[in-house]
Amino acid sequence: MIIDEIRKMECLSPKFKNRIKAILDSEKLVLATIALKGSGLIEEIKRRQDIKLFEMTHDNRYSLLLEILKETKTILSEIASLCRSTIQDSCPMMGQNVGPETEFVSQLVSI
């Protein structure tokens, strides 16, 4: 009961709402949980076009983990590809180990 009250207070706090919106509007990759039911901020977040929702149940909790990991890998691979293109454009010696950026991109792609 106390946890539900804390959640309600958070969702009603303008500072909390603004911070959550700023995080979701950023270019950061966010993995979060959200209540199944709710209005206001919860409903607003669920309507966003730039998110993917997974509904976890008792029956799918293990297979859902694999699905989320697969989706995360796809997103990271896309990011790594963009990073690789950017680095190649700015560094013609990409084939050579020129710095930590190339190692980072290689690790992301091989995930």
Side-chain angles (χ1 to χ4, degrees), residues 62-97:
Y62 297 114
S63 62
L64 186 60
L65 173 60
L66 295 175
E67 187 178 343
I68 291 170
L69 290 173
K70 182 179 175 183
E71 183 75 21
T72 303
K73 180 180 176 181
T74 299
I75 292 167
L76 288 175
S77 292
E78 290 170 5
I79 292 169
S81 179
L82 290 171
C83 288
R84 177 178 280 156
S85 295
T86 302
I87 292 171
Q88 278 181 322
D89 290 345
S90 63
C91 182
M93 296 169 31
M94 177 65 180
Q96 302 171 23
N97 192 8

Side-chain angles (χ1 to χ4, degrees), residues 7-23:
R7 286 185 186 142
K8 287 178 190 174
M9 288 173 21
E10 287 176 339
C11 289
L12 294 174
S13 162
K15 185 176 181 181
F16 177 79
K17 285 191 220 179
N18 291 337
R19 186 66 183 133
I20 292 297
K21 289 177 187 179
I23 291 168

Side-chain angles (χ1 to χ4, degrees), residues 5-62:
E5 292 303 314
I6 292 170
R7 286 185 186 142
K8 287 178 190 174
M9 288 173 21
E10 287 176 339
C11 289
L12 294 174
S13 162
K15 185 176 181 181
F16 177 79
K17 285 191 220 179
N18 291 337
R19 186 66 183 133
I20 292 297
K21 289 177 187 179
I23 291 168
L24 294 175
D25 289 339
S26 74
E27 295 196 14
K28 293 178 174 34
L29 182 60
V30 178
L31 179 61
T33 61
I34 192 164
L36 186 59
K37 297 178 182 176
S39 58
L41 181 61
I42 292 171
E43 193 175 278
E44 184 179 334
I45 291 170
K46 288 181 174 184
R47 283 194 312 258
R48 291 177 64 107
Q49 297 298 309
D50 60 345
I51 67 165
K52 181 160 187 171
L53 290 173
F54 298 92
E55 186 174 336
M56 183 179 285
T57 65
H58 182 73
D59 294 334
N60 76 353
R61 62 186 175 183
Y62 297 114

Side-chain angles (χ1 to χ4, degrees), residues 93-107:
M93 296 169 31
M94 177 65 180
Q96 302 171 23
N97 192 8
V98 295
E101 299 87 5
T102 57
E103 182 63 28
F104 174 72
V105 170
S106 297
Q107 288 175 2

